[in-house]
Amino acid sequence: MALVGLYNAPPLSVQLSKTTSPSTAALKSSFLSFTRNPFVKFSKNPLVRNSENQRRTSPIVAMSMDAGIGVMGTKLGMMTYFETDGTVVPVTVVGFREGNIVTQIKTAATDGYDSVQVGYRRVRDRKLTKPETGHLEKAGVIPMRHLQEFRLQSIEGFESGQKLVVDEIFKEGDLVDISGITIGKGFQGGIKRHNFKRGPMTHGSKSHRALGSIGAGTTPGRVYKGKKMPGRMGGTKTKIRKLKIVKIDNELRIVMIKGALPGKPGNLLRIAPAKIVGKNIPKN
């Protein structure tokens, strides 16, 4: 398998010089000639396709498009919010530390796509590496812990060092998409992780919370990929779409969002306008 990279290499060309004899050149070219091995699978990935006179092509950006610029916030906890008509709404309170500053503008000419990089949560200089510190100093902003990008259809009106104000981006009643890291549960069994049913607890049964059969015998003779089994649960990035902003309090610098959000209090959250195909996101 170590020879796959060798066979994927482009053929080498030999150029005749004044001191090189035709016989020597023919020997070198036959030695360096590219022969296709029928037993080696060639990569069909367009990212590794090379040509004889062309360098490796730039990677294709497969980043999802955002409906608009967003911000980052910190989860504070959940509470009950009473509307004017007495309706009880369970909300999650999101606070905002110092940050949400534009640190870089990426364009199609320089990076292959248009996006706005935003920084959040100020930290001490010694908490960052020298490359991170140099990147932020180049933009002329304070040292910040988190950097995230928002890929937009148009980046007009944004500049490095610009501070994003929450109440100017979002209004009460808007729908937002929120992503974050869920609470880690550690290694869990099939009942808790996948909501499996347990076996009988009495009448001589010896299978209570065991997983049970995981496949057939000789055929196929293996366990299918993706089989639901015990394993690590939680601690993954999750996005919850189309949540409603119930209240924006500028004095307390908080936003109340209807429903539950990923993670525990203190977790980093990414808040962006909800993507609605055909309205703020093109159908293609």
Side-chain angles (χ1 to χ4, degrees):
M1 297 304 293
L3 297 177
V4 176
L6 176 61
Y7 283 107
N8 282 336
L12 299 177
S13 60
V14 177
Q15 295 181 355
L16 287 175
S17 62
K18 295 181 179 180
T19 61
T20 304
S21 61
S23 60
T24 307
L27 179 62
K28 290 183 178 181
S29 61
S30 63
F31 175 75
L32 297 174
S33 60
F34 180 77
T35 57
R36 185 180 180 91
N37 191 336
F39 299 101
V40 178
K41 293 184 178 180
F42 285 80
S43 175
K44 297 181 180 180
N45 189 350
L47 303 183
V48 298
R49 181 173 60 249
N50 292 343
S51 62
E52 195 166 326
N53 300 320
Q54 185 179 4
R55 292 184 177 180
R56 182 182 297 267
T57 57
S58 59
I60 300 175
V61 178
M63 180 180 177
S64 61
M65 187 80 67
D66 286 294
I69 190 66
V71 295
M72 285 177 280
T74 304
K75 180 176 179 178
L76 300 181
M78 293 194 68
M79 59 173 290
T80 301
Y81 179 79
F82 293 88
E83 295 184 350
T84 55
D85 58 353
T87 304
V88 178
V89 181
V91 297
T92 301
V93 182
V94 179
F96 299 95
R97 298 187 178 183
E98 187 175 1
N100 283 322
I101 302 174
V102 177
T103 57
Q104 185 181 2
I105 305 295
K106 294 189 175 183
T107 61
T110 58
D111 301 277
Y113 63 99
D114 297 330
S115 69
V116 177
Q117 186 185 82
V118 180
Y120 177 71
R121 187 184 171 187
R122 181 169 187 170
V123 293
R124 297 180 181 178
D125 297 343
R126 61 184 178 86
K127 294 289 185 179
L128 301 179
T129 62
K130 288 186 177 180
E132 293 173 341
T133 304
H135 173 70
L136 296 175
E137 288 180 353
K138 182 179 179 181
V141 297
I142 59 176
M144 290 175 287
R145 168 64 65 189
H146 307 288
L147 297 177
Q148 290 198 14
E149 289 186 9
F150 295 88
R151 188 179 180 189
L152 308 176
Q153 300 178 11
S154 176
I155 57 175
E156 296 181 359
F158 295 101
E159 57 183 7
S160 297
Q162 177 182 351
K163 185 173 180 59
L164 302 178
V165 183
V166 177
D167 57 345
E168 294 180 359
I169 301 175
F170 303 107
K171 303 297 181 183
E172 295 182 0
D174 290 351
L175 299 180
V176 292
D177 294 343
I178 298 181
S179 58
I181 304 298
T182 59
I183 299 177
K185 302 291 184 180
F187 194 96
Q188 298 297 332
I191 293 179
K192 181 171 183 177
R193 191 182 185 202
H194 301 295
N195 298 320
F196 288 170
K197 293 182 180 180
R198 63 170 176 81
M201 301 300 290
T202 58
H203 297 287
S205 173
K206 297 182 180 180
S207 176
H208 305 306
R209 298 177 66 92
L211 187 63
S213 175
I214 58 174
T218 305
T219 304
R222 62 186 178 86
V223 179
Y224 286 125
K225 291 184 179 180
K227 174 66 179 176
K228 294 181 179 180
M229 300 179 70
R232 183 167 294 183
M233 179 180 178
T236 57
K237 184 178 179 180
T238 305
K239 177 185 286 187
I240 303 179
R241 301 190 59 222
K242 296 182 179 181
L243 296 178
K244 181 181 177 181
I245 296 180
V246 178
K247 181 71 175 179
I248 299 178
D249 195 325
N250 295 324
E251 295 182 0
L252 299 178
R253 297 180 62 186
I254 62 172
V255 172
M256 299 181 184
I257 301 174
K258 183 178 180 180
L261 303 183
K264 55 186 178 181
N267 190 36
L268 176 69
L269 298 175
R270 172 192 171 105
I271 308 174
K275 294 195 291 187
I276 303 176
V277 178
K279 184 177 180 182
N280 52 19
I281 289 293
K283 293 184 179 180
N284 56 355

